[in-house]
Amino acid sequence: MSGAGEADFDLAMNVNLKGMMNMLEATRQFRSKSKVIPTFVYASAGATIGSGCDTDWIQSGDVISDSTRAAPHTTYGMTKACGELLLSDYSRRGFLDGR
């Protein structure tokens, strides 16, 4: 998706951002109809921190943690970083257990 998303902005937005929002909303609706707090696992990407770009300030040997700042250099990385932020907020609000 990374290369295709960079070549086609609308594709990246539809698949990574709108797709993520659709999945989060479906999970939230499930939560509102049940007593179960669903677990939502999101596979993000190194592109959220700028990994894979010549101008990276994160190198392959660096340790990445929850405090590492998002600094995407591509549309793909931006959409994945937005997904992380959305998941964090949905989890904070108790709609789901985000991982």
Side-chain angles (χ1 to χ4, degrees):
M1 179 71 221
S2 180
E6 199 55 26
D8 186 341
F9 178 82
D10 292 325
L11 177 66
M13 293 296 288
N14 286 328
V15 171
N16 286 337
L17 192 54
K18 292 178 183 173
M20 177 65 164
M21 291 189 68
N22 288 337
M23 292 172 48
L24 288 169
E25 278 302 302
T27 305
R28 184 168 76 105
Q29 293 304 315
F30 170 82
R31 168 70 172 107
S32 72
K33 296 175 183 172
S34 72
K35 297 188 185 296
V36 176
I37 298 176
T39 300
F40 191 110
V41 178
Y42 182 56
S44 192
T48 62
I49 56 170
S51 180
C53 184
D54 294 338
T55 58
D56 288 350
W57 52 273
I58 298 288
Q59 301 302 314
S60 62
D62 291 345
V63 175
I64 307 301
S65 72
D66 288 340
S67 64
T68 303
R69 182 176 65 91
H73 298 275
T74 63
T75 299
Y76 172 77
M78 176 274 299
T79 59
K80 296 298 272 188
C82 287
E84 289 181 2
L85 291 170
L86 286 165
L87 179 64
S88 178
D89 200 47
Y90 274 64
S91 188
R92 177 188 66 80
R93 296 185 61 95
F95 301 144
L96 49 80
D97 176 16
R99 306 287 172 107

